[in-house]
Amino acid sequence: MATAVQEAQRADTVWIRSAADVSDIVNQGAGRAANAKVIVLLALGGVFLDAYDLTSLAYGEEAVREQFHIGPAQLGLVVSAISLGALVGSFLGGALVDRIGRYRVFMADMVFFVVAAIGAALAVNAAMLIGFRFLMGVGVGMDLPVAMAFLAEFSRLQGKGSKSDRTAAWCPAWYAATTACYVVILGIYALLPAEQHQHIWRYVVGFGAVPALAIIAVRKRYIDESPAWAAGQGDLEGAAAILRRSYGVDARVAPEARRETRRASAGQRYRELFRPPYRRRTLQNLVANTAQNFGYNSVAFGLPVIIATFLAQGELTTIVSALALNLVFAFTGGMLGIGWSRSHGAWRMTLIGFGLQLVAFVVLASLGVPKGPVAIALALGMLGLYLFAQASGPGANLMTFAALSYPTRIRGTGVGFSRGVDSAATTVTLFLFPVLASALSTRVFWVIAAAPVIGAVALLVGRWEPVAHDADAEDALAARD
């Protein structure tokens, strides 16, 4: 029997007879897909906001502590409030994305970003800052499930621009944001008089509202619902209309079309993650993602602390060094990792990344507090190696694992669960890292070195490869059986 795309090659009109036909059109990349590409870019814009907001206070920890007269434990609450909010937002967003659709959740979390960024920037005490950073985290948590769903469901299955390419592209988007954050910090540092430098963090945090407002401004023209999700809800006419708008395909619903709807409660969807065939994938991703999160947040969020304290560098050098490390190593690794994962697989690239991270942590722990230019250069090089390995391996691919392991009907739930567990690990890490770093100095790297070891073991046990896997076709086949 001819597929919907094969019919499209013989006629101007594509006849849709089931939800599988909609997925087939998207997976094979039929049509010009002009609006679909814009939707992908806007979804990556949401990821950009996630990373910017999570990074925006990385440089301002000491200023916040002094302005609000708080100790290490309270500072840990300020720092970790955003990840605690992301924990709530991830589970909530994951459930809502599959229940009410991608578009509505995406627009809701943009509002969270605007309100939270402005409120945090104007905070008059630590409690107010904690509250708005928690709200900001809710927006961050809601955004990643919908962003990953958009990236997977507006992309072809294989080749350049595939689902794995675009879900992995979240990583360079993330590091572009962290780099941009340090550019903003550097610009404000240069513009403000020295006596106002303690307020740099307020300007940086508040600036996060600007890209969110830009996305809100263009939403009506470009953003659309996922056609695969609409079809899965039994709305084949709506899915066909989206294909016409976003893909330029003259899609029409055939008279004999089957409207099969598989609705389930949020609890049922979460339980399904731990049933065959998804259980092994979920457990592999759960352990590996938690491990990489501990390592990443210790280094990425603590980077200014590491450079300033461990490497004994001044204020301006700290900003420039953090910016350069993110741009040269992390962003470059993320861009290269997209193609490498397509060619070699997400599983292999993630395993290699964990191996390189272990090398970096062992060298940093062995160096101790570096003395002299050679030792400092080596330490910075190891930080760069870690960021490159993270961006080209675990950082890029663990969201690919989460997004492509599950079919459309539970994809948001799967990503939300993964992101929620990730946020729980982030909350613990951001709370503990200032305390551990203060107590252990560079010996903290021996503790962090456990992360890539645990992540690698999870991969070797699970051995699940998501690249080029058609989870919707797998799901449709299981439903017929």
Side-chain angles (χ1 to χ4, degrees):
M1 180 179 292
T3 67
V5 172
Q6 288 168 339
E7 288 185 4
Q9 296 170 348
R10 299 196 297 263
D12 293 330
T13 299
V14 180
W15 293 103
I16 294 174
R17 297 179 176 84
S18 67
D21 285 343
V22 175
S23 295
D24 190 50
I25 292 169
V26 175
N27 284 345
Q28 297 194 37
R32 67 179 189 277
N35 275 17
K37 292 178 180 178
V38 177
I39 291 171
V40 166
L41 290 175
L42 290 173
L44 290 172
V47 174
F48 183 98
L49 275 170
D50 295 348
Y52 182 92
D53 284 341
L54 283 168
T55 311
S56 59
L57 200 61
Y59 176 75
E61 287 184 48
E62 186 62 25
V64 168
R65 187 188 64 78
E66 291 179 358
Q67 286 177 36
F68 297 144
H69 308 291
I70 56 178
Q74 289 173 297
L75 180 61
L77 286 174
V78 170
V79 171
S80 62
I82 190 169
S83 56
L84 184 60
L87 170 63
V88 175
S90 296
F91 288 109
L92 176 64
L96 288 176
V97 161
D98 288 334
R99 181 176 178 81
I100 67 174
R102 283 61 169 139
Y103 175 83
R104 292 176 183 175
V105 177
F106 186 67
M107 296 321 305
D109 68 58
M110 289 301 110
V111 176
F112 272 94
F113 285 133
V114 173
V115 173
I118 295 173
L122 298 176
V124 296
N125 54 46
M128 184 175 174
L129 181 58
I130 289 170
F132 277 109
R133 277 179 62 79
F134 176 85
L135 187 65
M136 186 182 293
V138 173
V140 169
M142 290 173 64
D143 184 70
L144 202 58
V146 71
M148 289 298 110
F150 272 136
L151 294 174
E153 292 160 23
F154 279 91
S155 305
R156 67 177 73 231
L157 183 62
Q158 299 184 43
K160 190 174 182 180
S162 65
K163 296 179 187 296
S164 61
D165 278 12
R166 286 176 171 171
T167 52
W170 86 283
C171 195
W174 188 279
Y175 285 113
T178 58
T179 301
C181 185
Y182 284 110
V183 170
V184 172
I185 292 171
L186 187 60
I188 295 171
Y189 178 90
L191 291 173
L192 284 182
E195 60 271 18
Q196 294 295 317
H197 280 182
Q198 72 269 25
H199 296 301
I200 288 176
W201 70 269
R202 295 183 182 273
Y203 291 95
V204 176
V205 170
F207 187 78
V210 175
L213 287 169
I215 291 175
I216 291 172
V218 302
R219 69 188 187 281
K220 288 185 178 180
R221 181 173 180 181
Y222 293 110
I223 301 179
D224 218 328
E225 185 53 79
S226 160
W229 181 84
Q233 301 300 301
D235 185 11
L236 295 182
E237 287 79 9
I242 296 168
L243 290 173
R244 292 194 295 270
R245 289 192 300 268
S246 296
Y247 280 84
V249 173
D250 184 20
R252 305 290 171 179
V253 179
E256 70 276 17
R258 303 186 312 274
R259 290 168 173 78
E260 299 173 355
T261 304
R262 297 174 63 185
R263 291 191 175 94
S265 68
Q268 289 172 326
R269 290 195 296 269
Y270 277 113
R271 285 194 293 272
E272 191 169 357
L273 301 181
F274 291 93
R275 294 172 182 159
Y278 309 120
R279 180 168 52 208
R280 180 165 62 95
R281 309 171 194 181
T282 300
L283 292 175
Q284 173 184 292
N285 194 50
L286 173 65
V287 177
N289 201 23
T290 301
Q292 69 84 29
N293 175 278
F294 177 69
Y296 170 74
N297 282 289
S298 296
V299 173
F301 198 88
L303 197 58
V305 176
I306 293 169
I307 294 172
T309 305
F310 298 169
L311 306 185
Q313 298 301 300
E315 188 175 35
L316 182 59
T317 303
T318 297
I319 299 173
V320 174
S321 298
L323 190 159
L325 285 168
N326 274 280
L327 181 61
V328 174
F329 293 98
F331 180 74
T332 301
M335 292 300 294
L336 292 172
I338 295 172
W340 289 346
S341 295
R342 187 195 322 129
S343 302
H344 305 295
W347 184 89
R348 179 178 297 178
M349 291 308 304
T350 303
L351 187 64
I352 292 172
F354 278 136
L356 293 175
Q357 288 177 0
L358 179 61
V359 171
F361 287 145
V362 168
V363 173
L364 285 166
S366 301
L367 274 175
V369 178
K371 304 294 183 181
V374 174
I376 290 174
L378 179 58
L380 288 172
M382 288 300 100
L383 288 173
L385 175 63
Y386 169 82
L387 290 172
F388 183 86
Q390 172 72 5
S392 60
N397 293 315
L398 286 173
M399 278 298 102
T400 298
F401 278 100
L404 302 188
S405 294
Y406 311 107
T408 298
R409 64 184 179 82
I410 59 170
R411 178 169 288 120
T413 303
V415 176
F417 177 79
S418 178
R419 179 60 176 166
V421 172
D422 181 87
S423 298
T426 300
T427 302
V428 174
T429 302
L430 296 186
F431 181 78
L432 289 179
F433 181 78
V435 179
L436 289 174
S438 176
L440 299 175
S441 186
T442 56
R443 294 193 304 277
V444 74
F445 288 115
W446 287 117
V447 178
I448 304 172
V453 174
I454 294 171
V457 169
L459 290 176
L460 291 170
V461 172
R463 293 189 174 275
W464 163 246
E465 174 58 70
V467 172
H469 175 74
D470 191 344
D472 284 313
E474 175 190 51
D475 190 48
L477 182 62
R480 286 197 296 269
D481 295 341

